[in-house]
């Protein structure tokens, strides 16, 4: 897809502002999960990118010199394509690592907050490094930098993303399978255990949908009207708003798959941090009913 450089700057600028606004709103939870720490790192990378793009664009007449290399609008297009490819390469690893982080938080005994923070920070840095390494050395990524006519000098070719639809589809299937498993488990376990699991799944779905149903409807309309015909630029596909939704979604999936366990009976002391869904209070009540 072909976009103008001003639209790229506006898109990245709006994304950057939204990222930092959500990070600020979740400041009490931001360091308590991998998703939060990765969201901060993503905001930093987006901020650095918009500053570089704006600097190159403002000095487009003479270009910007960097170690005897003159940066021009072609480098803006190149950096936008590279950024989109790195974000695309990070989508699935972030989902897997965030899911494992929530699974460990719920299933394993509590660990030192400082130790968990160090591990999550290390994994975040490692993911960025591996994603960049993959894009530059292992993928078949080829930049599209063509000579254009004079009236197209301020336009860039950028790739669109499809990973978000893939991730949502996979998570919906997983959540559906967990709910179906809870409903059809009565021939394997006793009725009390089955009732408890059904109660957990119902609580999960109700809490998740009560917080995110309006956004899901909005995204569905936006997808049908705008994103499917034109596609979403890949450099906008990974953002903190998406990570917030993903965080709640993964917590719901993990709770459906793991629960009910002894953790539920103890009041769910180790519920993953979430600024949008009140998992702790409502699941503590569900745990007491189930036990």
């Amino acid at each position: 897809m072909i976009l103008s450089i001003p639209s790229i700057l506006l898109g990245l600028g709006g994304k950057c502002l939204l990222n930092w606004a959500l990070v600020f709103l979740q400041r009490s939870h931001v360091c308590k999960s991998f998703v939060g720490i990765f969201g901060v790192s993503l905001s930093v990378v987006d901020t650095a990118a918009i500053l570089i793009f704006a600097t190159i664009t403002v000095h487009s007449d003479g270009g910007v010199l960097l170690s005897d290399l003159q940066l021009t609008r072609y480098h803006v297009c190149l950096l936008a394509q590279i950024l989109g490819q790195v974000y695309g390469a990070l989508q699935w690893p972030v989902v897997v690592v965030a899911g494992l982080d929530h699974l460990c938080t719920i299933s394993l005994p509590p660990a030192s907050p400082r130790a968990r923070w160090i591990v999550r920070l290390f994994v975040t840095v490692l993911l960025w490094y591996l994603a960049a390494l993959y894009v530059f050395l292992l993928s078949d990524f080829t930049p599209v930098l063509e000579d254009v006519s004079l009236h197209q000098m301020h336009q860039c070719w950028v790739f669109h993303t499809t990973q978000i639809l893939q991730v949502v589809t996979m998570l919906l299937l997983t959540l559906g399978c967990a709910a179906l498993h809870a409903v059809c488990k009565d021939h394997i376990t006793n009725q009390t255990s089955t009732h408890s699991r059904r109660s957990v799944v119902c609580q999960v779905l109700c809490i998740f949908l009560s917080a995110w149903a309006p956004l899901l409807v909005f995204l569905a309309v936006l997808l049908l009207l705008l994103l499917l015909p034109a596609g979403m630029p890949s450099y906008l596909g990974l953002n903190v708003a998406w990570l917030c939704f993903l965080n709640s979604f993964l917590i719901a999936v993990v709770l459906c798959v793991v629960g009910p366990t002894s953790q539920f009976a103890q009041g769910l002391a180790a519920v993953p941090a979430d600024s949008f869904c009140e998992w702790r209070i409502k699941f503590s009540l569900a745990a007491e009913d189930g036990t």
Side-chain angles (χ1 to χ4, degrees):
M1 56 192 307
I2 299 177
L3 297 177
S4 65
I5 291 180
S7 67
I8 293 176
L9 291 174
L10 287 175
L12 275 175
K15 177 190 172 185
C16 189
L17 291 175
L18 178 62
N19 286 349
W20 284 115
L22 290 173
V23 168
F24 177 77
L25 290 175
Q26 302 177 89
R27 58 191 180 278
S28 60
H29 294 150
V30 75
C31 293
K32 296 181 180 179
S33 67
F34 164 76
V35 173
I37 294 176
F38 185 84
V40 174
S41 71
L42 177 63
S43 301
V44 172
V45 172
D46 279 338
T47 302
I50 190 63
L51 290 177
I52 293 172
F53 290 176
T55 302
I56 297 175
T57 303
V58 168
H59 298 86
S60 59
D61 295 336
V64 178
L65 292 179
L66 180 63
S67 299
D68 297 328
L69 174 64
Q70 187 176 16
L71 301 180
T72 64
R73 74 153 195 96
Y74 288 102
H75 294 92
V76 173
C77 299
L78 176 62
L79 290 174
Q81 293 178 20
I82 292 175
L83 196 65
Q85 291 297 304
V86 172
Y87 286 173
L90 282 169
Q91 284 281 2
W92 279 108
V94 167
V95 172
V96 173
V97 174
L100 291 175
D101 180 48
H102 293 331
L103 185 62
C104 292
T105 300
I106 293 175
S107 302
L108 299 180
S112 168
R114 182 178 179 84
R116 288 195 173 188
W117 181 84
I118 293 175
V119 171
R120 289 162 178 161
L121 181 62
F122 172 77
V123 173
T124 297
V125 175
L126 182 63
L127 282 184
W128 281 106
Y129 173 76
L130 293 178
L133 195 67
Y134 169 78
V135 169
F136 286 110
L137 299 181
L138 301 177
S139 70
D140 57 352
F141 166 61
T142 302
V144 181
L145 298 173
E146 301 176 349
D147 292 331
V148 296
S149 59
L150 184 61
H151 71 279
Q152 293 179 318
M153 283 297 293
H154 296 287
Q155 292 183 336
C156 294
W157 174 273
V158 295
F159 300 96
H160 66 275
T161 181
T162 59
Q163 283 92 347
I164 291 180
L165 286 177
Q166 297 173 3
V167 170
V168 171
T169 301
M170 179 60 68
L171 290 178
L172 283 174
L173 289 175
T174 304
L175 193 61
C177 290
L180 185 62
H181 176 70
V183 172
C184 300
K185 199 182 176 184
D186 53 354
H187 67 283
I188 299 178
T189 59
N190 57 54
Q191 189 172 358
T192 302
S193 176
T194 302
H195 174 73
S196 178
R197 180 171 289 273
R198 288 180 182 176
S199 175
V200 168
V201 172
C202 291
Q203 288 287 330
V204 167
L205 296 178
C206 289
I207 295 173
F208 176 77
L209 291 177
S210 65
W212 290 102
L215 178 64
L216 290 175
V217 174
F218 172 75
L219 288 178
V221 173
L222 184 67
L223 181 66
L224 292 175
L225 296 181
L226 298 177
L227 299 185
L228 280 182
M232 175 185 288
S234 54
Y235 58 84
L236 297 180
L238 195 61
N239 53 74
V240 176
W242 162 246
L243 292 177
C244 292
F245 170 77
L246 190 65
N247 184 57
S248 297
F249 207 155
L250 287 171
I251 293 175
V253 171
V254 171
L255 288 175
C256 283
V257 172
V258 174
T261 63
S262 59
Q263 297 273 355
F264 286 77
Q266 296 170 4
L268 273 180
V271 177
D274 191 347
S275 300
F276 293 88
C277 297
E278 295 291 340
W279 303 105
R280 183 185 300 273
I281 297 175
K282 296 188 177 181
F283 272 103
S284 295
L285 298 176
E288 294 172 2
D289 293 342
T291 55

